Amino acid sequence: HTPRLTLMPLHTNHQEWIEYLYETKEYFLVYFRQLQLYPQLYGFGPWLIIEKNSKTIIGDTGFKGYPNQSTLDIGYNIIPNHQNFGYATESVNALSAWAFQTGLVHRITAACYDWNFASISVLQKCQYQITEKKNHIIYWQLSYVPMPNHRTQI
């Protein structure tokens, strides 16, 4: 959760919502089938982004599968009339923090087209670093760097 948003990982009991909300739902339906077979995927797939004040679903974010070699790939989508309010940045920051807190993830990757200035801005604000540019696609990553445990003796 964030001050303005509720982030809710999708579960198989949310399938009716997806069928109602999204025209292109194949990705979600594949995820639901995988989740039934592998319950440990919960949280490592799509999440709904809900604006708290209105209780409105304004988009989705999430990961593209279970961590592979401590790495996840993140994606996000905000419904057009809710864009440019910082919701994508807020949700990517929160979900990145959640992933690192699991202890299973040390790196999160993302990709966007070089003409997608909104996504570039989101990833920059979230401290993702460019790792490669190829065929009009920019590849990004955010690495978890554990802070040393400093204890001050009094």
Side-chain angles (χ1 to χ4, degrees), residues 35-85:
L35 188 58
Q36 288 174 331
L37 296 172
Y38 308 102
Q40 68 271 26
L41 281 175
Y42 183 68
F44 295 105
W47 294 55
L48 293 178
I49 303 171
I50 302 166
E51 201 271 329
K52 283 183 179 177
N53 286 340
S54 66
K55 295 181 176 48
T56 302
I57 296 171
I58 61 168
D60 59 87
T61 186
F63 303 110
K64 300 170 187 172
Y66 198 74
N68 181 4
Q69 297 180 344
S70 300
T71 300
L72 286 175
D73 195 38
I74 195 168
Y76 47 91
N77 177 48
I78 303 294
I79 294 169
N81 61 338
H82 288 90
Q83 293 175 356
N84 300 311
F85 294 102

Side-chain angles (χ1 to χ4, degrees), residues 74-146:
I74 195 168
Y76 47 91
N77 177 48
I78 303 294
I79 294 169
N81 61 338
H82 288 90
Q83 293 175 356
N84 300 311
F85 294 102
Y87 293 131
T89 301
E90 201 169 316
S91 63
V92 168
N93 265 331
L95 208 55
S96 297
W98 176 87
F100 289 137
Q101 288 174 0
T102 68
L104 299 171
V105 178
H106 297 332
R107 182 174 55 170
I108 303 172
T109 59
C112 67
Y113 287 106
D114 59 7
W115 47 260
N116 189 339
F117 300 115
S119 279
I120 291 169
S121 177
V122 166
L123 294 167
Q124 287 174 333
K125 289 176 187 174
C126 293
Q127 306 301 310
Y128 279 68
Q129 303 297 311
I130 295 173
T131 59
E132 184 178 10
K133 295 179 181 181
K134 186 170 147 182
N135 298 328
H136 299 285
I137 298 176
I138 305 173
Y139 297 90
W140 305 77
Q141 80 172 20
L142 180 66
S143 296
Y144 175 69
V145 180

